[in-house]
Amino acid sequence: MASASSTFKFLSLLAALFAVVEMAISGDPDILSDFVAPLNLTTVDGTFFTFTGMRALVGAPPASAFKVSKASAAEFPALIGQSVSYAVLQFPAGTTNPPHTHPRSAELLFLVDGSLQVGFVDTTNNLFTQTLQSGDMFIFPKGLVHFQYNADSQNSALAISAFGSASAGTVSLPTTLFATSIDDNILAKAFKTDVATVQALKAGLKP
Amino acid sequence: MASASSTFKFLSLLAALFAVVEMAISGDPDILSDFVAPLNLTTVDGTFFTFTGMRALVGAPPASAFKVSKASAAEFPALIGQSVSYAVLQFPAGTTNPPHTHPRSAELLFLVDGSLQVGFVDTTNNLFTQTLQSGDMFIFPKGLVHFQYNADSQNSALAISAFGSASAGTVSLPTTLFATSIDDNILAKAFKTDVATVQALKAGLKP
Amino acid sequence: MASASSTFKFLSLLAALFAVVEMAISGDPDILSDFVAPLNLTTVDGTFFTFTGMRALVGAPPASAFKVSKASAAEFPALIGQSVSYAVLQFPAGTTNPPHTHPRSAELLFLVDGSLQVGFVDTTNNLFTQTLQSGDMFIFPKGLVHFQYNADSQNSALAISAFGSASAGTVSLPTTLFATSIDDNILAKAFKTDVATVQALKAGLKP
Amino acid sequence: MASASSTFKFLSLLAALFAVVEMAISGDPDILSDFVAPLNLTTVDGTFFTFTGMRALVGAPPASAFKVSKASAAEFPALIGQSVSYAVLQFPAGTTNPPHTHPRSAELLFLVDGSLQVGFVDTTNNLFTQTLQSGDMFIFPKGLVHFQYNADSQNSALAISAFGSASAGTVSLPTTLFATSIDDNILAKAFKTDVATVQALKAGLKP
Amino acid sequence: MASASSTFKFLSLLAALFAVVEMAISGDPDILSDFVAPLNLTTVDGTFFTFTGMRALVGAPPASAFKVSKASAAEFPALIGQSVSYAVLQFPAGTTNPPHTHPRSAELLFLVDGSLQVGFVDTTNNLFTQTLQSGDMFIFPKGLVHFQYNADSQNSALAISAFGSASAGTVSLPTTLFATSIDDNILAKAFKTDVATVQALKAGLKP
Amino acid sequence: MASASSTFKFLSLLAALFAVVEMAISGDPDILSDFVAPLNLTTVDGTFFTFTGMRALVGAPPASAFKVSKASAAEFPALIGQSVSYAVLQFPAGTTNPPHTHPRSAELLFLVDGSLQVGFVDTTNNLFTQTLQSGDMFIFPKGLVHFQYNADSQNSALAISAFGSASAGTVSLPTTLFATSIDDNILAKAFKTDVATVQALKAGLKP
């Protein structure tokens, strides 16, 4: 009968690291079945659990603009109930993924190729930034505004991001704010600018 | 490779039995005690569960600018573990609560006095707006960008907002984006504008 | 790049306050979409997110008896999945909201007008009471028996209560116990009284 | 003001795809470790996961009054984080477990020996009762008022109850209401009776 | 007005016991109604909340082989949304419940009769074992491999197990690994043995 | 005994209103702060949110045996409270990741390079398999036994796996079963084989 010494050490280490309190627990409510199968399928086999939509990215020519390819519940229904999803992010040289939030999950970015400037702002208005090199990961905490920028003028960058929800959602802030017909006056007051500036921003972001 | 026929049958059976609905998606994980008492208190009595910080608002002169007064876990520790909190919103005539998100909760606004234009944008970039009159409620779904505006040039408005978390958090977008030293270039690219416009916005929003 | 000193201070403060352990975490499971729209609506607009059922309370004559007006998932379906709801409580002079529990949420009461005696009993049978004045808030922890009483013989009181669930539910104890045909003998034994007293209580509470 | 047509379409698509089902609403947030070991233990072995406090019940003489023996987080700390606990209920002939609620869990009662009248009242004031025989189970839904009664004048009954929380908590209503110094007037108003009756009930339930 | 001294003491005790941090909180997401009633029932009464499937076990002759009888959501639909279920385990002399896991819940075993050797292995590969006597309980943490063995060559054993989910699920490892046509080569490599041994194991476990 | 007609009507009404949909079952409880910062850090900056432990894998020579590199809460504490983590899986030609489970999360595998045979077994003992090519994803549902095998005798394979928990945990079945001193007799009975075979398997898997 073994002792739980390694578990114990892990807890002790945490205790030392985090000193005292700990505020935060996190976990996923379960579904009541192994998975959620579509009722109109008469047979479920391994293909239901497979997503092939990213194959096209393998060996493809680089994207010409910043591009996100998602594998979330909408594209891959087998993820429903499993609390996890992916996005692949392609950054041609000098491109940016504009400031955005995910309402339903944190994002764990894995930089597979190239370099990337990343950052997020917490609810006390602190900016946290980092320059990542290939192989680095960065965690964008749940619900906070964040962005990525490939500052390299020559080389593209490629990242894979994981989410702790099957449907994290994305709120892109430039378009949410300036491409959805929110009243010019409200925006001018909110951004402490004039209506002309708001209209110019709206013109630039028109879909 | 087997079919998932038995799992499928179980789901089908449920479908037959329960016919349609789906009831339930939302709820709060419980704590393991009735409440969380601070360990440095030798006695806990009714005052621990009482928050008097809003008394000052009763009968006070109107605010001179838009003002939020919070009663969340930070101000009122007895809320920890109870999944609920409040904010009181004061809108002098013509003022706005700039676009923002709450990373950890939806917001249910109750307009106690005056009128208010409200809106939010969902993750598919649809804007939903409404003009509220006194007594109306409006729900801003979890994690989405929303705003309120008192369009009345004469009268102030007063709202109480409830949150389904003891610590909903607030991300105010103008300051998050333009008052936290995010690189000018990144912002210019993201908002499809020039660096001069970004710098002008930053100057206007400087704390 | 800013330091997270304010976040850090917040955590340190909590550490000081709560000294050691950590008991309690609370949060709301998310839905997989921004909101849950009824399928029989062909168009969803701002009115779906608006509840006008409390307008009637504005400027209405005072209630003649204690009265609860709810805005929960049953009255306001847009709340489904958002983990928050409201009730408005009107207390004419000298009236009481009888002891009750909410099976699915804590209650955060905001006393808007008048004064109110409030109390709850925890699972170790301790009573916590407080006399609230206008502007005060009081938290009734999840699932515990609580009550409110307007002891003022002249003035009415008005409170708004928020719940961290779209459907908190209410179990009113006098009617649950004595107006639902629970066997007289069981009640007599449980309350260590005689059947005649039980029957008298039942008669008084008959709907 | 935009319609939510795209959100709607996504939901409709899901409806078409998945047709009907989906029931699943319930589950337990996970801890971040296999179990939670006390930090003052230098070695954790199998005894930490064992509870021997019920041994005394085996072969013991019957209880002389209704008696509950608990195995929850307070008595058996290894349950912390595991979302499950037990109670053993002993009912001598003619005894009752008074109306009560569990704030943090449903109760699944398994009648091991004897017969038992059981019941609960839902939030719409419906009473559900059943007479159980040995081997039967009955589920008391989360947070609702329920009771058990051994109507047999000769034989005792024995039940085991499981809870989906390590710390379900118990609110016994007779003592919560009439043995905690809630003001006589409030109780008299709430139960629509007179102060004398309240005082008589309190006298009978005095600890 | 009582002080919360007993609650406080409980918290202090926990603080002393667990010394510092505590990593792990666990609770059950609520449903939005008291219970989930099947839509094809026109009337719900007490029988819906009653499960009689275990009556047959009372006074029945002992099982001739190890046998599990479940009362989970599949057999007893009223458990849906209530986060709790049961299994009854019958162990004739010398029989074993093979190593298995429950993907959606911990298991709290209550040994009603006989003796039992039990054990589980944590994620750091520590084995925890215990020999239980009648009246003992043992907690098998969520998702870990565990087993039970009645080492007594004469007497049978009987246990009741509670789960903190209405649908805990069971993954029996011998059959999952060796009775589901996983490729012989993969199994041989995984178990560091030869294909012949794998085929012999498969032959022994053929349904 | 009353019928639950009003509860039933409420459910029916919802069924009518919402007709069908609502899938959402899964999500992550929130923490009460943006992130959980270690208390012994006086300054938190971008490096706290960065994990560089995978840099070594970039451009490194291929692994000589199957190898898992994790980025979970233990290696990367900023993940605590964020419900997401990663593992990188390296498969030299002809190697296998033995059957295992993750007690606290589903696994979403992204095959970055090479080909891979994958499979899992559900709780009704159905095996689901698939042969993946580069760019494919496969979801292994929460808590189920699964494996991966690089059947290619020439080329290695590389996969990244995401988990919807900061600490998914791994239970490797060959070592859990045959390298933890579980009693030979219990294993022989469970796997319906003889003690000699069990001992041979144990010898092969000795650490």
Side-chain angles (χ1 to χ4, degrees):
Chain A
M1 186 181 348
S3 81
S5 58
S6 59
T7 298
F8 181 73
K9 269 184 222 141
F10 174 74
L11 289 173
S12 300
L13 185 68
L14 268 175
L17 248 181
F18 290 84
V20 179
V21 100
E22 194 286 322
M23 215 54 257
I25 299 312
S26 181
D28 298 347
D30 295 322
I31 52 177
L32 291 183
S33 55
D34 297 341
F35 48 82
V36 180
L39 288 189
N40 59 340
L41 280 191
T42 48
T43 300
V44 173
D45 61 21
T47 60
F48 175 66
F49 302 97
T50 308
F51 182 68
T52 62
M54 300 293 182
R55 277 185 193 175
L57 298 180
V58 178
S64 59
F66 169 72
K67 185 178 170 197
V68 181
S69 305
K70 291 186 184 183
S72 71
E75 298 85 17
F76 186 13
L79 297 185
I80 293 178
Q82 304 299 344
S83 298
V84 67
S85 60
Y86 269 127
V88 175
L89 311 177
Q90 295 172 280
F91 298 87
T95 58
T96 187
N97 182 2
H100 63 282
T101 70
H102 303 290
R104 290 182 285 279
S105 176
E107 172 177 356
L108 181 51
L109 179 144
F110 190 173
L111 183 58
V112 173
D113 192 42
S115 67
L116 215 50
Q117 291 182 11
V118 300
F120 73 88
V121 182
D122 74 9
T123 56
T124 60
N125 238 30
N126 285 311
L127 171 67
F128 297 87
T129 61
Q130 189 79 356
T131 300
L132 305 180
Q133 65 180 70
S134 183
D136 284 355
M137 293 183 180
F138 194 86
I139 179 76
F140 302 100
K142 200 181 287 188
L144 300 186
V145 172
H146 58 284
F147 57 89
Q148 299 107 22
Y149 174 52
N150 178 6
D152 191 307
S153 61
Q154 305 292 325
N155 301 296
S156 61
L158 179 70
I160 298 174
S161 282
F163 302 88
S165 163
S167 178
T170 299
V171 172
S172 181
L173 294 172
T175 51
T176 294
L177 292 166
F178 295 107
T180 52
S181 70
I182 298 177
D183 185 85
D184 291 353
N185 265 310
I186 293 177
L187 289 170
K189 280 172 188 279
F191 285 84
K192 295 190 177 163
T193 187
D194 49 42
V195 166
T197 301
V198 166
Q199 290 175 340
L201 287 165
K202 283 186 164 184
L205 288 159
K206 190 161 285 176
Chain B
M1 185 180 353
S3 82
S5 59
S6 59
T7 298
F8 180 73
K9 268 183 221 141
F10 173 66
L11 289 173
S12 301
L13 185 68
L14 266 177
L17 249 180
F18 292 85
V20 174
V21 98
E22 191 290 322
M23 223 45 275
I25 18 189
S26 181
D28 297 347
D30 295 321
I31 52 178
L32 291 183
S33 55
D34 298 339
F35 48 83
V36 180
L39 288 189
N40 61 338
L41 280 191
T42 49
T43 301
V44 174
D45 61 19
T47 59
F48 175 66
F49 302 98
T50 309
F51 183 67
T52 61
M54 300 291 183
R55 279 186 192 173
L57 298 180
V58 178
S64 59
F66 168 71
K67 187 177 168 198
V68 182
S69 306
K70 291 186 183 182
S72 71
E75 298 85 17
F76 185 13
L79 297 185
I80 294 177
Q82 304 299 344
S83 297
V84 67
S85 60
Y86 268 128
V88 175
L89 312 176
Q90 295 172 280
F91 299 86
T95 57
T96 186
N97 182 3
H100 63 283
T101 71
H102 303 291
R104 289 182 285 280
S105 175
E107 173 178 355
L108 181 51
L109 180 143
F110 190 175
L111 183 58
V112 173
D113 192 43
S115 67
L116 215 50
Q117 292 183 9
V118 300
F120 73 89
V121 181
D122 73 9
T123 56
T124 59
N125 239 29
N126 285 311
L127 172 66
F128 297 87
T129 61
Q130 188 79 356
T131 301
L132 305 179
Q133 65 179 70
S134 184
D136 284 357
M137 292 182 181
F138 194 87
I139 180 75
F140 302 101
K142 200 180 288 189
L144 301 185
V145 172
H146 59 285
F147 58 88
Q148 300 105 23
Y149 175 51
N150 178 5
D152 191 305
S153 61
Q154 305 292 326
N155 302 296
S156 62
L158 179 70
I160 298 174
S161 282
F163 302 88
S165 163
S167 179
T170 299
V171 172
S172 180
L173 294 172
T175 52
T176 293
L177 292 166
F178 295 107
T180 53
S181 70
I182 298 177
D183 185 85
D184 291 352
N185 265 311
I186 294 177
L187 289 171
K189 280 173 190 278
F191 285 85
K192 296 190 177 162
T193 185
D194 50 44
V195 166
T197 300
V198 166
Q199 289 175 340
L201 286 165
K202 283 186 164 183
L205 288 159
K206 190 161 287 178
Chain C
M1 184 180 353
S3 81
S5 59
S6 59
T7 297
F8 180 72
K9 270 183 222 142
F10 174 73
L11 289 173
S12 301
L13 185 68
L14 267 176
L17 249 179
F18 291 86
V20 177
V21 99
E22 194 291 316
M23 216 56 254
I25 299 310
S26 182
D28 298 347
D30 295 322
I31 51 177
L32 290 183
S33 54
D34 297 340
F35 48 83
V36 180
L39 288 189
N40 60 339
L41 279 190
T42 49
T43 301
V44 173
D45 62 21
T47 59
F48 175 65
F49 302 97
T50 308
F51 182 67
T52 61
M54 299 291 182
R55 277 185 193 175
L57 297 180
V58 178
S64 59
F66 169 72
K67 186 178 170 197
V68 181
S69 305
K70 291 186 183 183
S72 70
E75 298 85 18
F76 186 12
L79 297 186
I80 293 178
Q82 305 298 344
S83 298
V84 67
S85 60
Y86 268 128
V88 175
L89 312 176
Q90 295 171 281
F91 298 86
T95 58
T96 187
N97 182 2
H100 62 282
T101 71
H102 303 291
R104 289 182 286 280
S105 175
E107 172 178 356
L108 182 51
L109 179 145
F110 190 173
L111 183 58
V112 174
D113 192 43
S115 67
L116 215 51
Q117 291 182 10
V118 300
F120 73 87
V121 181
D122 73 9
T123 56
T124 59
N125 238 31
N126 285 310
L127 171 67
F128 297 87
T129 61
Q130 189 79 356
T131 301
L132 305 179
Q133 65 180 71
S134 183
D136 284 356
M137 292 182 180
F138 194 86
I139 179 76
F140 301 100
K142 199 180 289 188
L144 301 186
V145 172
H146 59 284
F147 58 89
Q148 300 106 22
Y149 174 52
N150 179 6
D152 191 306
S153 61
Q154 304 293 326
N155 301 295
S156 62
L158 180 70
I160 298 174
S161 282
F163 302 88
S165 163
S167 179
T170 299
V171 172
S172 181
L173 295 172
T175 52
T176 293
L177 292 166
F178 295 106
T180 52
S181 68
I182 298 176
D183 185 86
D184 291 353
N185 265 312
I186 294 177
L187 290 170
K189 280 172 189 279
F191 285 85
K192 295 191 178 162
T193 187
D194 49 41
V195 165
T197 301
V198 166
Q199 289 175 339
L201 286 165
K202 284 187 163 181
L205 288 158
K206 190 162 284 176
Chain D
M1 185 180 352
S3 81
S5 58
S6 59
T7 299
F8 180 73
K9 267 184 220 141
F10 173 66
L11 289 173
S12 300
L13 185 68
L14 268 177
L17 249 180
F18 292 84
V20 174
V21 101
E22 211 296 301
M23 225 46 257
I25 16 185
S26 181
D28 298 346
D30 294 322
I31 52 177
L32 292 182
S33 55
D34 298 340
F35 49 83
V36 180
L39 289 188
N40 60 340
L41 279 190
T42 48
T43 301
V44 174
D45 61 20
T47 60
F48 176 66
F49 302 98
T50 308
F51 183 68
T52 61
M54 300 291 183
R55 278 185 193 175
L57 298 179
V58 178
S64 59
F66 168 72
K67 186 178 168 197
V68 181
S69 305
K70 292 186 183 182
S72 70
E75 297 85 17
F76 185 13
L79 297 185
I80 294 179
Q82 305 299 344
S83 297
V84 67
S85 60
Y86 269 127
V88 174
L89 311 177
Q90 296 171 280
F91 298 86
T95 57
T96 187
N97 182 2
H100 62 283
T101 70
H102 303 290
R104 291 182 283 281
S105 176
E107 172 178 354
L108 181 52
L109 180 144
F110 189 173
L111 183 58
V112 173
D113 192 43
S115 67
L116 215 50
Q117 292 182 10
V118 301
F120 73 88
V121 181
D122 74 9
T123 57
T124 58
N125 238 29
N126 285 311
L127 171 67
F128 297 87
T129 60
Q130 189 79 356
T131 300
L132 305 179
Q133 64 180 72
S134 185
D136 284 355
M137 293 184 180
F138 194 87
I139 179 76
F140 302 100
K142 201 181 287 190
L144 301 186
V145 172
H146 58 285
F147 58 90
Q148 299 106 23
Y149 175 52
N150 178 5
D152 191 307
S153 61
Q154 304 292 325
N155 301 296
S156 62
L158 179 70
I160 298 174
S161 282
F163 302 88
S165 163
S167 179
T170 299
V171 172
S172 181
L173 294 171
T175 52
T176 294
L177 292 166
F178 295 106
T180 53
S181 68
I182 298 177
D183 185 86
D184 291 353
N185 266 311
I186 294 177
L187 290 171
K189 280 173 189 278
F191 285 85
K192 296 191 178 163
T193 186
D194 49 44
V195 166
T197 301
V198 166
Q199 290 175 340
L201 287 165
K202 283 186 164 183
L205 289 158
K206 191 162 285 177
Chain E
M1 185 179 352
S3 81
S5 58
S6 59
T7 298
F8 181 72
K9 270 183 221 142
F10 174 73
L11 290 172
S12 301
L13 185 68
L14 266 176
L17 249 180
F18 291 84
V20 179
V21 99
E22 194 285 322
M23 214 58 253
I25 300 309
S26 184
D28 298 347
D30 295 322
I31 52 178
L32 291 183
S33 54
D34 297 341
F35 49 82
V36 180
L39 289 188
N40 61 339
L41 280 191
T42 49
T43 300
V44 174
D45 62 21
T47 59
F48 175 65
F49 302 98
T50 308
F51 182 67
T52 61
M54 300 293 181
R55 277 185 193 176
L57 298 180
V58 178
S64 58
F66 169 72
K67 185 178 170 197
V68 181
S69 305
K70 292 186 183 183
S72 71
E75 298 85 18
F76 186 13
L79 296 186
I80 293 177
Q82 305 299 343
S83 297
V84 67
S85 59
Y86 268 128
V88 175
L89 312 176
Q90 295 171 279
F91 298 87
T95 57
T96 187
N97 183 1
H100 62 284
T101 70
H102 303 290
R104 290 182 284 281
S105 176
E107 172 177 355
L108 181 50
L109 179 144
F110 189 174
L111 183 58
V112 174
D113 191 43
S115 67
L116 215 50
Q117 291 182 11
V118 300
F120 72 89
V121 181
D122 73 10
T123 57
T124 59
N125 237 31
N126 284 311
L127 171 66
F128 296 88
T129 61
Q130 189 79 356
T131 300
L132 305 180
Q133 65 179 69
S134 184
D136 284 356
M137 293 183 178
F138 194 85
I139 179 75
F140 302 100
K142 201 181 286 188
L144 301 185
V145 172
H146 58 284
F147 58 89
Q148 298 107 22
Y149 174 53
N150 178 5
D152 192 305
S153 61
Q154 304 293 325
N155 301 296
S156 62
L158 179 69
I160 298 174
S161 282
F163 303 88
S165 163
S167 179
T170 298
V171 172
S172 181
L173 294 172
T175 52
T176 293
L177 292 166
F178 295 107
T180 53
S181 68
I182 298 177
D183 185 87
D184 291 353
N185 266 311
I186 295 177
L187 289 170
K189 281 172 188 279
F191 284 84
K192 296 190 177 163
T193 187
D194 49 42
V195 166
T197 301
V198 166
Q199 289 175 342
L201 286 165
K202 283 186 165 183
L205 289 158
K206 190 161 286 176
Chain F
M1 184 181 359
S3 81
S5 58
S6 59
T7 297
F8 181 73
K9 269 183 221 141
F10 173 64
L11 290 172
S12 301
L13 185 68
L14 265 176
L17 247 181
F18 291 83
V20 173
V21 101
E22 216 297 300
M23 222 53 252
I25 19 185
S26 181
D28 297 348
D30 295 322
I31 52 178
L32 293 182
S33 55
D34 297 340
F35 48 82
V36 179
L39 289 188
N40 60 339
L41 280 190
T42 49
T43 301
V44 174
D45 61 21
T47 59
F48 175 65
F49 302 98
T50 308
F51 182 68
T52 62
M54 300 291 182
R55 277 185 194 175
L57 298 180
V58 178
S64 58
F66 168 71
K67 186 178 168 196
V68 181
S69 305
K70 292 187 183 181
S72 71
E75 298 84 19
F76 186 11
L79 297 185
I80 293 178
Q82 305 299 344
S83 297
V84 66
S85 60
Y86 268 128
V88 175
L89 311 177
Q90 296 172 281
F91 298 87
T95 57
T96 187
N97 183 1
H100 63 283
T101 70
H102 303 290
R104 290 182 285 280
S105 176
E107 172 177 354
L108 180 52
L109 180 144
F110 189 174
L111 182 58
V112 174
D113 191 44
S115 66
L116 214 51
Q117 292 182 10
V118 300
F120 73 89
V121 181
D122 73 9
T123 57
T124 58
N125 237 28
N126 284 311
L127 171 67
F128 297 87
T129 61
Q130 188 79 357
T131 299
L132 305 179
Q133 66 180 70
S134 185
D136 284 356
M137 292 183 181
F138 194 87
I139 180 76
F140 302 100
K142 200 180 288 189
L144 301 186
V145 172
H146 58 284
F147 58 88
Q148 299 106 23
Y149 174 52
N150 179 7
D152 191 305
S153 62
Q154 304 292 324
N155 301 296
S156 63
L158 179 70
I160 298 174
S161 282
F163 302 88
S165 164
S167 179
T170 298
V171 172
S172 181
L173 294 172
T175 53
T176 293
L177 292 166
F178 295 106
T180 53
S181 68
I182 298 177
D183 185 86
D184 291 353
N185 266 311
I186 294 177
L187 289 170
K189 281 172 188 279
F191 285 85
K192 295 188 177 165
T193 186
D194 49 42
V195 167
T197 301
V198 167
Q199 289 175 341
L201 287 165
K202 283 186 165 183
L205 289 158
K206 191 161 285 177

